[in-house]
Amino acid sequence: MTAADALEAGVIMHAYVYPETIPDLRAILGEETPESTAFADPWWRSVWRTILDLADHDQPVDPVTVNFRLDPRNDIEPLRSALEVSGVPLGGPQNGVALARILAQARQGQTLGSTLDRLRARLRPPFAADTGAVLAEVEEAAAHLRAEMAGSGATIPWAQTVADTVDAWDARRSGRERRGVTTGWPEIDGLLVRLRPGQLILLAGRPGIGKTSMALQIAAHAAGTEGRPVALVSLEMDRCELTERVLCVEGGVPASLPESAVRTMLAAAGRVSEWPVAVADGSTATVGQIRAFVAVVRARHGSVGLIVVDYLQLVRARNRRGTLYEQVCEVSRDLKLLARDMDAPVLALSQLSRKVEDRDSGRPKLSDLRDSGSLEQDSDVVLLLSHHAKQVRGREREAEPLILCEIAKHRSGPTGRALFRFTPWMTRFVPATWPAGDAE
């Protein structure tokens, strides 16, 4: 029996002798699927899956019950002899946990090695693949491996989890929390506190409502005021168009740039050029490519404070053969994983369905999120933009319209509303007072 075989047999033996360790072993080795398994030997793989099934149904876990499930004739000799010759010392419960960690690390090493071999083959001439595409695949594969490694550990003690939660709550309550970024608007920050690392925040509205302008203003505040590195990904505008909007916001000048505003714009350009911002335009079309771009930003600055994606429905899914609903579901999940892996909030812009325009109130709902119900499920915060009811009722559009920003979902706090005045030619939002008779 090889060392690898003995290692797998040792994990099985500990599951039999110390069944109370099965949850920890399972957490370390991960869930068994046809595509992912910790056991190279088909026999031990079958035994382990049977152990998990018995444990899930609160059935006794021992060699007899497992072998009977695998072979109703109950011929226990193959199992008994395999265990006897394994040569692995039993030790205590923690010895089995240690063996499981070694087994998990070995599997992760094999996965990484085979992935690198496959990608290295794609770069060989004469049919070498595009280097950028391969780099995106490398980053995506590394992200999946990091996620797997993060899950490969015994359960964190409950007392430690409670202590960490209390510390985080106390930091938010006292204003000491510095993770994540603020929007710069007290009306919103009073409810959200901060856009926190790991969160997926959706900023949704109908075309022309000002989604991109609001997102860029938040990004400008994060980079310019708080000094946090920002990764901007636009699948709709090129980098110069985005930068022009940021300059208009910072300089307070119109996009038409009259002669009188040139000096102000140049001064704003001098300030903005020092900000820790990186921009990727339409060539970054998949979450894998976005991930590779953000990884470069993080390596350059040491961290990422905010990731902005404009906009979600233009991001290409890996599975292009699925329905539009399935593709948006995949992109939504991948953006949530991106937020967790990069330890940064992802602010993703999203379209709303036309149903909003058919509604007398003009007020959007969470169900209006376009193309997928998973957007509502995966997101931590949803901001819905719409024209104020005063303008909807009169079907009038002011030069500087009132825009309602509704926090329609907040997974870890209150919801609410804020009112803004939008100046389109400067692409700028400023807080507005509520019209008389309009209760907040």
Side-chain angles (χ1 to χ4, degrees):
M1 178 176 283
T2 65
D5 291 335
L7 187 62
E8 294 182 5
V11 172
I12 297 296
M13 280 196 298
H14 279 81
Y16 285 146
V17 179
Y18 305 105
E20 69 275 9
T21 65
I22 291 177
D24 279 344
L25 299 178
R26 185 179 207 160
I28 294 169
L29 298 175
E31 294 298 326
E32 287 285 306
T33 67
E35 297 78 23
S36 176
T37 179
F39 295 86
D41 186 282
W43 169 253
W44 294 128
R45 189 182 312 145
S46 299
V47 170
W48 178 242
R49 288 175 178 173
T50 304
I51 288 174
L52 296 182
D53 186 60
L54 289 170
D56 286 341
H57 292 85
D58 294 322
Q59 299 296 313
V61 175
D62 57 53
V64 175
T65 57
V66 170
N67 210 62
F68 183 80
R69 179 72 68 87
L70 292 172
D71 183 2
R73 295 173 301 175
N74 204 21
D75 181 6
I76 199 171
E77 288 307 315
L79 180 61
R80 189 197 309 275
S81 59
L83 290 174
E84 288 175 350
V85 302
S86 65
V88 179
L90 193 59
Q94 290 308 309
N95 193 42
V97 171
L99 292 177
R101 287 202 179 99
I102 296 172
L103 187 58
Q105 290 171 358
R107 179 186 65 179
Q108 291 158 2
Q110 292 169 354
T111 301
L112 180 59
S114 60
T115 300
L116 292 176
D117 288 342
R118 177 175 57 81
L119 295 175
R120 190 181 297 113
R122 292 193 58 194
L123 291 172
R124 294 194 187 107
F127 305 107
D130 175 67
T131 305
V134 174
L135 179 61
E137 288 188 49
V138 169
E139 180 56 38
E140 190 169 351
H144 285 300
L145 186 58
R146 279 195 297 270
E148 183 178 317
M149 292 174 68
S152 296
T155 305
I156 297 174
W158 174 243
Q160 181 62 50
T161 301
V162 172
D164 293 343
T165 302
V166 171
D167 288 344
W169 175 82
D170 185 58
R172 289 199 300 272
R173 183 189 59 82
S174 61
R176 292 184 291 104
E177 184 177 37
R178 291 295 177 265
R179 285 166 52 81
V181 299
T182 61
T183 66
W185 296 303
E187 297 81 0
I188 293 181
D189 293 331
L191 296 169
L192 298 183
V193 184
R194 303 179 79 84
L195 308 184
R196 294 198 290 273
Q199 285 186 330
L200 173 60
I201 302 103
L202 294 185
L203 178 58
R206 291 293 296 154
I209 198 73
K211 297 186 297 296
T212 301
S213 297
M214 179 169 279
L216 289 179
Q217 200 165 337
I218 294 172
H221 175 78
T225 304
E226 299 189 352
R228 300 303 309 279
V230 174
L232 290 176
V233 179
S234 176
L235 306 178
E236 198 171 33
M237 302 181 188
D238 64 31
R239 57 191 179 89
C240 290
E241 287 180 284
L242 281 178
T243 305
E244 181 180 308
R245 290 197 176 202
V246 173
L247 290 174
C248 289
V249 169
E250 175 64 14
V253 298
S256 58
L257 195 60
E259 189 67 29
S260 59
V262 171
R263 182 171 296 181
T264 303
M265 179 69 89
L266 291 177
R271 295 191 300 272
V272 168
S273 63
E274 301 297 322
W275 291 357
V277 176
V279 181
D281 52 25
S283 60
T284 310
T286 67
V287 176
Q289 291 170 328
I290 293 172
R291 184 185 290 277
F293 164 69
V294 175
V296 172
V297 176
R298 186 172 65 171
R300 181 182 302 158
H301 296 285
S303 66
V304 180
L306 177 67
I307 303 167
V308 179
V309 179
D310 182 13
Y311 61 90
L312 187 147
Q313 281 82 5
L314 290 180
V315 179
R316 288 205 313 262
R318 286 175 282 112
N319 177 23
R320 298 305 303 279
R321 296 182 180 180
T323 64
L324 180 59
Y325 180 91
E326 292 170 338
Q327 291 182 43
V328 174
C329 285
E330 179 188 294
V331 170
S332 174
R333 286 193 300 269
D334 286 350
L335 286 177
K336 175 61 180 176
L337 289 174
L338 175 68
R340 295 182 62 179
D341 293 342
M342 295 298 172
D343 196 33
V346 171
L347 177 61
L349 279 59
S350 177
Q351 296 283 20
L352 292 177
S353 70
R354 293 181 180 274
K355 294 178 182 178
V356 178
E357 299 174 354
D358 298 332
R359 208 169 286 141
D360 290 339
S361 66
R363 293 274 298 276
K365 304 176 181 178
L366 286 172
S367 58
D368 294 323
L369 288 169
R370 189 168 167 182
D371 299 327
S372 174
S374 70
L375 294 179
E376 178 184 349
Q377 176 181 328
D378 295 333
S379 60
D380 299 281
V381 175
V382 178
L383 307 176
L384 300 179
L385 299 184
S386 62
H387 287 281
H388 185 264
K390 170 189 172 184
Q391 297 166 204
V392 174
R393 286 193 296 268
R395 297 298 177 185
E396 58 186 25
R397 290 291 184 268
E398 300 177 9
E400 297 185 16
L402 287 172
I403 301 296
L404 180 67
C405 178
E406 183 171 1
I407 303 174
K409 177 184 178 181
H410 186 194
R411 196 187 298 275
S412 57
T415 58
R417 297 188 293 162
L419 190 64
F420 293 92
R421 180 74 69 178
F422 179 44
T423 308
W425 55 86
M426 287 194 299
T427 65
R428 187 178 183 86
F429 284 85
V430 294
T433 57
W434 291 85
D438 190 344
E440 297 184 30

